[in-house]
Amino acid sequence: MEIDVSGTVCPQTVLIVRRCLEELEPGNELTVIGDYPPAERSIRRSCHKHGYSVAATSTTDADAEFALRIRVPSAAKT
């Protein structure tokens, strides 16, 4: 699954990502593309706190400031 949170700022970006992650099954991945660097840090912190692994990824979107790949673990903390 891929979502684009460009144009949104915290805390909205984190809420959007958390909602999407809750819909995924363990082992699935969510790619998040955004254009607001503070949102990247907030997303990383939230994911780490709740047990999701996060890795930077490349994107073909020239307007994107960041792209993250988030993997849903077998038992995420809620």
Side-chain angles (χ1 to χ4, degrees):
M1 175 183 235
E2 180 176 302
I3 60 168
D4 187 344
V5 294
S6 297
T8 61
V9 295
C10 296
Q12 187 178 13
T13 52
V14 173
L15 296 173
I16 292 167
V17 170
R18 289 284 311 275
R19 195 174 320 125
C20 289
L21 287 170
E22 289 172 358
E23 295 175 11
L24 297 177
E25 297 293 324
N28 288 354
E29 291 185 346
L30 174 67
T31 300
V32 181
I33 298 170
D35 62 354
Y36 185 60
E40 177 184 8
R41 293 187 294 273
S42 295
I43 292 167
R44 285 179 179 272
R45 265 194 313 270
S46 178
C47 287
H48 177 72
K49 176 182 175 183
H50 295 283
Y52 296 94
S53 63
V54 181
T57 187
S58 61
T59 178
T60 58
D61 185 345
D63 295 327
E65 291 280 336
F66 68 88
L68 300 173
R69 188 176 62 244
I70 305 168
R71 185 170 184 83
V72 179
S74 57
K77 303 173 195 172
T78 55

